[in-house]
Amino acid sequence: MWNFLTEHWRDGVEILILAALAYHGYLFFRATRGARILTGLLVLLLSLALLSLLLELSVISSLLQRFSVFLAIALVIIFQPELRRVLAELGSSRIFSFNRPDPEVLDVLMEAMQQLSSRRCGALFALKRGIDLKPYAESGVELDAVISNELVTTIFHPKTSLHDGGAIIDQGRISSAGCVFPVSQREIQDRAIGLRHRAGMGISEETDAIALVVSEETGALSLCFQGRLEHDLEPAKLRQRINEILTEGAGAGLESATEGSHELGASA
């Protein structure tokens, strides 16, 4: 037994690594648009492979072998947004991220969001972390202003021209407002989730930013991180989640997302 372990321990390590990669890959891709495409493709290929093996269909078997060369390219095309997100997260871990909003800035932001919530004024914020948000900032109006309660409530007042877009917060300042964020294509069955929430999910899919949303219909406060939406959070819980993400990094987004919140997007 000892000889077997000493000779084949590397095989066991490889199996564990592959199993972990497969499991985390499943968790990551299961809620994406390409998940159903990938499932249908795998079912079709496995069915044809089994059929060709049982009936000894040499032509189909040969075609499947040749098709496997193009399958990798097809998967890259199908899952291009998800692969971009993975690579972005690898390069934006806590080790490489130095952008930490000041606690006083977060206090001001929380106060402004509660005021907007009480007035039923919709709002969308993106807290910059490691990845540059300049491409999205250029789609809006540059402000470079110190964040304040009055400024935030003015920007998102329904009568202003900037209230429909998102605001980017960088180094305790509102760098731009009225920005256009990418809209998430994740499948969400909750019809109450509108474009503002999807835009928050979208910016958190494309970057490592933390998106904060105030619902115009209900005044509910929400947080988006790593493409997941934590909906209808209490102000204290929202501030706690922001602190967890900023201090613990990306792992906090998965471990604490379901505690006391309604999480969407991960299993829809």
Side-chain angles (χ1 to χ4, degrees), residues 120-156:
R120 296 295 192 272
C121 294
L124 174 60
F125 305 90
L127 305 183
K128 178 186 172 184
R129 298 178 68 223
I131 297 179
D132 189 15
L133 301 181
K134 185 177 180 180
Y136 308 104
E138 291 176 345
S139 66
V141 177
E142 183 179 358
L143 296 181
D144 192 23
V146 177
I147 186 171
S148 66
N149 193 342
E150 295 78 11
L151 178 59
V152 171
T153 53
T154 299
I155 290 174
F156 290 104

Side-chain angles (χ1 to χ4, degrees), residues 97-137:
S97 179
F98 301 96
N99 194 339
R100 296 284 187 270
D102 189 273
E104 295 183 0
V105 173
L106 292 178
D107 290 337
V108 174
L109 180 59
M110 292 297 101
E111 182 181 352
M113 290 182 64
Q114 292 180 59
Q115 189 169 349
L116 291 170
S117 174
S118 63
R119 298 178 180 178
R120 296 295 192 272
C121 294
L124 174 60
F125 305 90
L127 305 183
K128 178 186 172 184
R129 298 178 68 223
I131 297 179
D132 189 15
L133 301 181
K134 185 177 180 180
Y136 308 104

Side-chain angles (χ1 to χ4, degrees), residues 153-217:
T153 53
T154 299
I155 290 174
F156 290 104
H157 190 278
K159 300 297 182 180
T160 64
S161 58
L162 299 178
H163 79 281
D164 276 337
I168 296 176
I169 300 177
D170 181 14
Q171 299 290 351
R173 303 174 69 88
I174 300 180
S175 61
S176 299
C179 303
V180 178
F181 294 163
V183 177
S184 173
Q185 299 299 321
R186 284 177 177 260
E187 298 179 6
I188 301 178
Q189 298 178 353
D190 191 343
R191 299 297 181 182
I193 304 303
L195 285 177
R196 184 175 281 110
H197 294 85
R198 285 189 171 274
M201 294 174 63
I203 192 69
S204 68
E205 289 175 350
E206 298 287 336
T207 70
D208 64 344
I210 303 172
L212 305 176
V213 185
V214 180
S215 173
E216 184 174 352
E217 290 75 16

Side-chain angles (χ1 to χ4, degrees), residues 211-232:
L212 305 176
V213 185
V214 180
S215 173
E216 184 174 352
E217 290 75 16
T218 64
L221 305 179
S222 304
L223 179 146
C224 303
F225 183 60
Q226 296 182 334
R228 289 172 170 80
L229 171 65
E230 299 174 46
H231 188 50
D232 197 10

